[in-house]
Amino acid sequence: MSPCVHHIRTTFTKYIHETQNKICQSLEKLDGKSVFEEDAWQRPGGGGGKTRIIRNGNIFEKGGVNTSIVHGKLPPEMQKQFKTTHDNFFAAGISLVLHPQNPFVPTTHANFRYFELMDSDGQCVDSWFGGGIDLTPYYLDVANVKHFHTTLKAACDSVQLGLYETYKNQCDTYFYIPHRNEMRGVGGIFYDYLRPNAPLQIEQLLALAQNNADAFLKAYLPIVAQNAQKSYTSEQKKWQEIRRGRYAEFNLVYDRGTLFGLKTGGRIESILMSLPATVRWEYNFQPEPNSAEALIIKHLQPIDWVHFCEHRAI
Amino acid sequence: MSPCVHHIRTTFTKYIHETQNKICQSLEKLDGKSVFEEDAWQRPGGGGGKTRIIRNGNIFEKGGVNTSIVHGKLPPEMQKQFKTTHDNFFAAGISLVLHPQNPFVPTTHANFRYFELMDSDGQCVDSWFGGGIDLTPYYLDVANVKHFHTTLKAACDSVQLGLYETYKNQCDTYFYIPHRNEMRGVGGIFYDYLRPNAPLQIEQLLALAQNNADAFLKAYLPIVAQNAQKSYTSEQKKWQEIRRGRYAEFNLVYDRGTLFGLKTGGRIESILMSLPATVRWEYNFQPEPNSAEALIIKHLQPIDWVHFCEHRAI
């Protein structure tokens, strides 16, 4: 039996374009000032994408909500990564990163992608889904983080119980900065190479992507709405920029997708739209003990946020 | 014959400490406001270093002039990199990076290091020198770049003719950002794994390191002195910060020393002192055609600066 089901490509492609529109509209409405600008691009080897960027908004300092549908010959580096001799591929994905102005509003990232591998006759030989959503706050608001994780758990649970826990652990493992011994943020969910059959059939994998992508706005927008009008000092902005330095360190040193794109001729500006607008590196910056800045650092570790007690001392 | 000569360790160690003092004093004098703060650190496995940081100066926004003398068991990652089964090492080095406030003053970087590898009886089995100096301007001043390269050429020539040309080419190759198809700056010199015998004996390798390190102030300080009082606009500062983004991209994605240090438990703050204080990433920023900003980009390619004609159109 072919590992591909005919309608998945078209269904997923249609879904991510609709989702791109829906997310951009919701974010524009919330921002109230800036709108997304679109750069449509073609890939020389086949396919292309729509990069949509928002900048200098009331709420969003810099962000992107991108889709790409690419196909053609698999570059040798990707053959090596996928451990395959086949070299025909199709890939569709939506990817977003949002960097808010206000340090009390967390940065967020989400990505959902579908991949097919074909033999030289064009017959499908492999297919898989990957994806994730995660949150990077600059200050800790336990209720916000619990809401974020609980929303993602509900989205995963509706496909199969236990998935959230697995993907949450994978997220904790993936978004980790070894040289800082801290996570990039407070996690979320992350999965890759999910092939149909075990534990999920192809329709469940599609539903998983859709449930999670649909959950994104429910998980993130209330957090933005609650914090975006808070006043902040220049010192708090500076703290946000220092923490953005860690975000850049993770993306440039460790993030597989970023490095892979940079080193295999991906569209550089679409890949690096994930980097914050302004970043600061101070030598050996240490937050004051027991400060709000020290508090968030303590929580950039694997924590069971769904069951986390708000009044627990850490 | 042992590939090590007894006095080289002590001579080089003494030399880099004197050079650290001399460079810091000269930079402080020029800056006129900020002084270097020293963090002395110990390495658990053996040895330690002196990290000296200057910040918020009249001229230098952020910089470091560091020395380290470390020894002990070679980490497995380094054994792998050096393709050796021996695991006793000694390494001494001086490393500096200077990020000026004024966008008309270039950033610079220099590094000189000496390495010995010993067998389990402590007998020396290998030794080599590595080093380099390079310049990263934000605006092009051809006379400045010619002065920088000519000074380095004189330092290399006094050891052996032809060395400058080889090390200059290696610098162009090394400080290259493939995903931007541009060099990090206008180059300088770069060499590594220079073992005694061919083409240079150990005393000549030592002289090469010393000549070049001595040339650093002669190469860089006149450029600083000439440009540090120039007035600049906030747009020019912004351009500097955007270009600093490229600097961070190179250091975090490609620089062997940075990645190696981050991934093998080096002292993070000493390694990442190379990153600029403030950095900016704008989506798809393109300088105006024929602007001063576009001009420097055109010159971030391998160019024979010593023989470059100032009035040549590029």
Side-chain angles (χ1 to χ4, degrees), chain B residues 193-263:
Chain B
Y193 304 114
L194 288 192
R195 295 179 164 89
N197 279 333
L200 302 173
Q201 302 300 321
I202 190 83
E203 299 291 346
Q204 287 175 294
L205 292 176
L206 179 65
L208 179 71
Q210 292 176 334
N211 280 5
N212 280 318
D214 288 348
F216 169 73
L217 290 173
K218 287 180 267 182
Y220 185 59
L221 288 199
I223 299 174
V224 179
Q226 187 186 317
N227 296 292
Q229 305 310 321
K230 286 184 176 165
S231 63
Y232 57 88
T233 66
S234 62
E235 286 304 301
Q236 288 163 334
K237 184 72 187 172
K238 199 169 154 184
W239 169 247
Q240 179 199 47
E241 293 180 334
I242 288 171
R243 296 302 308 167
R244 285 173 172 177
R246 305 292 195 272
Y247 204 89
E249 286 174 30
F250 178 82
N251 286 19
L252 294 173
V253 179
Y254 300 105
D255 186 57
R256 289 202 295 258
T258 302
L259 294 178
F260 201 79
L262 293 185
K263 293 181 177 178

Side-chain angles (χ1 to χ4, degrees), chain A residues 258-271:
Chain A
T258 301
L259 295 177
F260 201 79
L262 293 186
K263 293 180 177 179
T264 57
R267 185 173 183 267
I268 301 306
E269 290 300 332
S270 299
I271 296 165

Side-chain angles (χ1 to χ4, degrees), chain A residues 54-56 59-62 99-101 237 244 277-278:
Chain A
I54 191 167
R55 36 189 162 185
N56 306 321
I59 291 178
F60 300 108
E61 189 171 333
K62 181 179 172 187
H99 291 289
Q101 301 273 11
K237 184 70 186 173
R244 285 173 172 178
T278 61

